[in-house]
Amino acid sequence: MRNFTYKNPTKILFGENQIQNLENEIPRDAKVLILYGGGSIKKNGVYDQVKEALKNHTTEEFGGIPANPEYAVLVEALKCIKEKEITYLLAVGGGSVIDGTKFLAAAALYPGEPWEILTKHVRTLEGQALPFASVLTLPATGSEMNSGYVISRRETKQKLSSGGPGLFPQFSILDPEVIRSIPRRQLINGLTDSYMHVMEQYITYPVGAMLQDRFAESILQTLQELAPKILAEEFDLVAAGDFMWCCTMALNGLIQQGVPGDWAVHAMGHELTAYFGIDHAVTLAIIAPSHYKYNLESKKEKLAQYAERAWGIKDGNTEEKALQGIQKMEEFFHSLGIKTKLSEHTPGFAGTAEKVEANFTNRGLLGIGEYKSLTPSDAKAIVEMSY
Ligand code: NZQ
Ligand code: ZN
């Protein structure tokens, strides 16, 4: 295992009725901005619970943060933060609302043009952001317990990420009851995104991190086992809680300590969302099979281990097992109802690979993956294999 320093300051309040504890967790003298998305929280009762818990606080609201949080909308929220002299942000939503809130927490104290934070990949250090917290309504991204975020800008067709140790939520509330109202499409996205978060940190090369590997495998196996229960007609609160915790654990930094990380699937996937608006999780299911096949030689040991331990595959040599592992992963995505070819999502797929190559070159993304060796032309080949 490699050396590491691990600090995750986010406090988690897990379980039913935890939303009422907002009252005690947010300082009474704070001027709170409640941020939310397109309105699901007003239909499922979460908004009412939040308002009730904060009835003795001074609150303002900003709604309308869209999926793949849009820069132009966040600029409006930033104006509101400044005009109303907000001192505390509360995200009530999924990854998009939480990510948007992280960006705003950083932008509120940033001296320059806010978009620069993303184009220059400015890291936000401790003390360089407004304090913020979240009430998670959609398990998927892990944003509720990590310090990264991704922002989209329609005007320039860009989807860029940043983060830093100053951007961990102070606390996050994880009440699995909120899962009851999530549409099937978003449940599928949550299962897939969290699964791929683990894969990005696990399908690299062995470094002797036995415990990290088993953490990763346990999350993958739990998600595999939970998927039918989460997608069943009848809501299962116990399964919902396990699912929520899997998504958080998949990307709260724990399983990445001491091991190499890949993240090339996400880098390519973000491009597909930026060009075509394809849901984040779906882009990962499109890219991952090709990425693993293209990089079979360097990833085959971990892929074979994945096949053995997550799917019980016993037959074949390392390479054969690795290929079976990729197939099992793709079958798992199909079992969720995801189509794993780009052409199944957009008729306008021709030229995408060249566009990814050009964008990576322009952005200086010249070496990605765990070896930082995948060039823009490798990305082009992988995206082409995903058509
Ligand atoms: O906007 P509302 O009305 O709230 O509806 C949302 C939205 O339409 C709806 N929803 C959320 N909770 C619900 C609900 N509907 C009914 N009941 C509920 N309880 O679901 C839709 C999608 O929400 P969104 O927040 O966009 O989904 P998700 O959590 O998958 O977030 C995706 C964004 O996170 C980024 C993605 O790139 C994408 O922009 N990611 C963030 C990461 C991070 N910060 O660590 C890592 C990820 O890899 C990812 O890149
Ligand atoms: Zn993701």
Side-chain angles (χ1 to χ4, degrees), residues 126-189:
E126 284 176 67
Q128 292 181 340
L130 278 186
F132 70 98
S134 83
V135 175
L136 180 68
T137 66
L138 173 53
T141 63
S143 188
E144 66 280 6
M145 201 180 174
N146 68 38
S147 60
Y149 62 94
V150 196
I151 303 298
S152 295
R153 192 170 188 179
R154 213 165 289 144
E155 189 191 345
T156 54
K157 284 204 178 295
Q158 281 171 301
K159 184 168 181 177
L160 303 178
S161 59
S162 196
L167 289 177
F168 283 96
Q170 289 200 334
F171 67 89
S172 285
I173 294 183
L174 276 56
D175 176 352
E177 186 56 44
V178 302
I179 295 174
R180 196 183 286 272
S181 64
I182 300 176
R184 187 180 172 84
R185 166 177 160 189
Q186 301 301 345
L187 292 172
I188 293 168
N189 284 347

Side-chain angles (χ1 to χ4, degrees), residues 68-142:
N68 305 309
E70 166 59 35
Y71 179 68
V73 176
L74 296 171
V75 167
E76 292 307 310
L78 188 57
K79 278 187 207 154
C80 170
I81 289 169
K82 294 198 166 157
E83 275 165 26
K84 304 211 158 129
E85 300 178 333
I86 297 296
T87 62
Y88 202 103
L89 307 179
L90 178 66
V92 184
S96 293
V97 173
I98 304 175
D99 279 13
T101 301
K102 288 179 179 173
F103 171 70
L104 290 168
L109 302 192
Y110 186 70
E113 160 72 21
W115 187 241
E116 214 176 82
I117 303 176
L118 288 144
T119 52
K120 295 192 177 161
H121 207 75
V122 176
R123 278 172 63 73
T124 302
L125 305 178
E126 284 176 67
Q128 292 181 340
L130 278 186
F132 70 98
S134 83
V135 175
L136 180 68
T137 66
L138 173 53
T141 63

Side-chain angles (χ1 to χ4, degrees), residues 195 198-199 202 216-225 306 310:
Y195 198 89
V198 178
M199 295 294 271
Y202 170 65
E217 288 148 5
S218 66
I219 299 172
L220 294 172
Q221 284 178 301
T222 308
L223 288 167
Q224 288 164 202
E225 199 174 318
Y306 161 68

Side-chain angles (χ1 to χ4, degrees), residues 193 197 266 280 284:
D193 194 20
H197 291 159
H266 272 69
H280 168 66
L284 308 176

